[in-house]
Amino acid sequence: MRLSKLILNGFKSFADHTEFRFDEPIIGIVGPNGCGKSNVVDAIKWVLGERSAKSLRGSAMVDVIFAGSAVRKPMGCAAVSLVFSNPVLEAPLKVQEGSAEATESVSDELDQDSTVENEEAVVRRAHVRHRALPVDSDEVESAEL
């Protein structure tokens, strides 16, 4: 089983639908400061079940949802999908044992790309629920979103 795609929508700095394809094996994510490298790692941790806002570099779990910018409104939800491909070898042809021709044809079959891709996705979504905040100023400090 290998990671084939990471799909982000409204997660932290990824307001738009963003898809990372891992067609080749990778060993790292590189880029300039502020481009979202850590947010990619946070998205993977979050979709796999991380529940600590501190581990996801936030103060509350609402911080995983795109908070808006000078030119964009905040999002009301975030979604992250991990898509795994599960290559399965096809069954080799049945041949008679001891035959030299049979051995060559089976090894030729296995040398070719004889995998079938099965994809499975792990998806996690978060939604902001808006509630009326208390009017008393003492209660406002302790209110949760």
Side-chain angles (χ1 to χ4, degrees):
M1 191 150 78
R2 70 173 197 78
L3 179 62
S4 63
K5 282 190 267 188
L6 170 65
I7 304 167
L8 306 165
N9 197 359
F11 184 84
K12 289 194 172 188
S13 60
F14 296 96
D16 295 325
H17 177 86
T18 307
E19 187 172 304
F20 294 94
R21 291 179 185 238
F22 304 111
D23 297 329
E24 303 277 330
I26 64 165
I27 54 173
I29 301 172
V30 295
N33 292 341
C35 71
K37 301 178 298 284
S38 297
N39 291 345
V40 171
V41 174
D42 288 346
I44 293 170
K45 288 170 41 177
W46 183 63
V47 77
L48 291 177
E50 180 60 59
R51 297 188 186 270
S52 168
K54 186 177 178 183
S55 293
L56 298 173
R57 301 175 308 112
S59 57
M61 287 307 288
V62 170
D63 294 338
V64 302
I65 300 172
F66 179 71
S69 67
V71 294
R72 294 199 62 163
K73 292 182 180 180
M75 302 286 286
C77 66
V80 175
S81 302
L82 291 179
V83 179
F84 293 96
S85 64
N86 191 15
V88 178
L89 289 176
E90 292 180 350
L93 300 172
K94 292 185 179 182
V95 294
Q96 291 180 340
E97 292 182 24
S99 167
E101 293 174 9
T103 307
E104 284 181 21
S105 66
V106 170
S107 63
D108 289 344
E109 280 287 322
L110 294 177
D111 288 341
Q112 295 175 359
D113 185 19
S114 61
T115 60
V116 176
E117 294 287 329
N118 294 332
E119 289 190 343
E120 298 177 18
V122 177
V123 180
R124 186 162 187 193
R125 292 183 173 88
H127 299 277
V128 176
R129 295 183 188 167
H130 298 284
R131 350 184 278 198
L133 292 176
V135 178
D136 187 17
S137 63
D138 294 334
E139 293 179 39
V140 170
E141 294 177 6
S142 64
E144 295 179 6
L145 290 177

